[in-house]
Amino acid sequence: MALLKRIKDIFTLKQEDKPREPISSTALLLTITISAFVVMYVLAMIIWGGGFLNIQQFLDIFNNNAYLIVISCGLTVVMIAAGIDISVGGTVALITMSCVVFLDSRGGSIAGSMILALGIGLAIGIIQGFLVSYLNIQPFIVTLAGMFFTRGMTTIVSSAPHTATNEAFLALKNFSIIVPGIGSYGKSGNFIPARIEPGVLIALVIVLAVWAILKWTRFGRNLYAVGGNSESALMLGINVKRTRFFSYILCGLFSGIAGYVYLLHTGAGNASNASQAEMQAIASSIIGGTLLTGGVGSVIGTLFGVMSLKTINNIVIASGLREPYWQSITTGLMLCFFILLQSVILALRKKSGVRNGENWRKHKIWNFLTSQRNSE
Amino acid sequence: MVNSLKKLTQSQLAMPLFALFLVVIFNLFRDVGFFSISVITNNYGNTVLSGNIISILNGASELAILAIAMTLVTSVTKGQDISVGALAAIAGSIFVKVLRANEITMPVILMSLLAAVVVAILFALFTGTLVSKFNIQPMIASLILFTAGRPIAYWINGGATPNVESPLLNYIGSFIPGIPIPTPILIIIVFGILVTLALRFTNLGLYIQSVGINERAARLNGINPVFMKLLVFMILGVCVTIAGSINVCRIGLINHETILLDIEMDAILAVAIGGNALSGGKFKLAGSVIGAYIIQALTITLYAMQVSSTAVKAYKAIVIIALVVIGSPVIQEWALKLRDRLFKKPKKNNGEKLIWHY
């Protein structure tokens, strides 16, 4: 409702009597991301139609990328606290491989493999978090070593690709949830109900959980404070080290869950699983409005970031550029666009706080858009 | 003697030299034959040196050059460029494309190098502009080319993995007849001397460091931070081209997916092992170069221990973590305290400290 009111204000040029509280950077970047995604998808529906009107294709974005959503959530948490974790892709690969090998061994069970997945993720999160927060080692180096370690360990566990044959697991893998009420009509006119995989539900639950943590818990607020300015956070009495430590543990736990979600989707362990996932997750977070400098970000934006990233890939394919390299190039272009947009917006915001005669027009428009009504 | 020793342990190079020393000692205990250098005659009839040390020095050439570039970028921008591997792929593609369009002679090789340098500088300036003008963190700005760089290289070459064959390229990639040392090592030495001279006889190093330490103060002193950053990214473009071309000459073909894969990570690692802060500011190029050789020595050692090429990463990670943990200020402080407790008289106010703790 607040958004509607805001839009109405913009269109009716209504001046308010008292100055409204300025919109926060997080909310502003989130709004941009969501509107960009909606515009992009609607345009795709109008121009290419076909697949984009198919509800199943929309849900397949989730089905194929549930794991990416989960690790992006973890990365968002770490990035809000001004850290970085590039080991998540390797962790996912290590977990898929270990779980498949465990499931196919004698005495392999689903519960055991889940515990294994969570255990590996947690262990990596704890080690990295300890090194980063308590030993003050640069996060990039620690997680880089983490990436090397997990990728290397994956091939040590098994150098050949491995497909799960455990029957109970296969039953779980092939299980999918029918979404009641929506679906599409096949070529012969029969109704095909839309399906989503259980991994998607897990991913969405995690998105909601992280959203709640960031919004309502003390830990969530501490994350923003530590990322925004760790020194003032320390002076406010926030335990900076512990907050960072927990952010990495959370990220590790999420990569554990993501590993299992990935396994549920593909059912195979492979050394090249989730390759480049860390960079995709970082890109999703950035598109979703999280700043690598920390202190700004929202997990809902990250969700839309993943969706935007994958939708643009679908658009590239739909527009006839089928060579795989076009996807990477457009992803790069999109990243460039969002990075520039954020940079310009944040710079303008910074400037608009200062009175500066020569840029008054820009400021007026800017103040109007963001409701930053200075006492004019 | 004691004074100079103290100076050495406090210098920035203490850490990388100690790490190199550890790797050497480990190899001495493992297998003395690791260090043997033999003179053999290779397939082209040249008398050349061969051995693990030579292959370490030779194999680390690209990494050393990129480590130099990465150190400068780290120093001036307080961040890292993760697109150097992709940029090297682009530069290599241009190099190969021009070579294949002509008959390979020495002037053509120089021309194609020039073309590659120009293109690489343009791409590096793209990242540089984002970093300097738009104040975007280098890692994020270079994430764009990290994602799109290798596909662009693929697109330049029109898809295939084209190969180039010429004895002239072999001279660059392996040996010049009559000289028993691999040419990449010679290139590194020449390049290193040039960079050292440039830093010693110009204010380049000073300006770069001052921008990295405090940009505002640098600007007030008349240094243009934007120009310095762009200049460093141009140097990065040159370094990337040299690394990419050496690699192309070495293998004789370009594969956009595998050329210098993951080298950006190794280069950043070399900078960190070399004792340079990844948060920018002061730098020591020698440290980064030593760091590059440490990484290569580690890799060759692991290969010599029959570790499979895919599993090398895991062991490398353990060694890296061990090195950075030893080098971390927290651990060093703790070790000093431990030494005081063990070898010096207990302080008199020990009791007070205890009370303070409770």
Side-chain angles (χ1 to χ4, degrees), chain B residues 81-101:
Chain B
D81 186 318
I82 55 169
S83 67
V84 284
L87 280 178
I90 294 177
S93 302
I94 296 284
F95 184 64
V96 169
K97 190 159 178 85
V98 180
L99 281 182
R100 277 171 71 86

Side-chain angles (χ1 to χ4, degrees), chain A residues 144, chain B residues 62-63 66-68 70-71 81 84 262-273 278 288 292 295:
Chain A
L144 177 67
Chain B
E62 292 100 324
L63 185 55
L66 290 180
I68 289 174
M70 190 66 83
T71 314
D81 186 318
V84 284
D262 282 346
I263 199 142
E264 49 274 343
M265 308 296 174
D266 276 348
I268 297 170
L269 210 56
V271 174
I273 291 178
L278 289 188
S288 302
I295 292 171

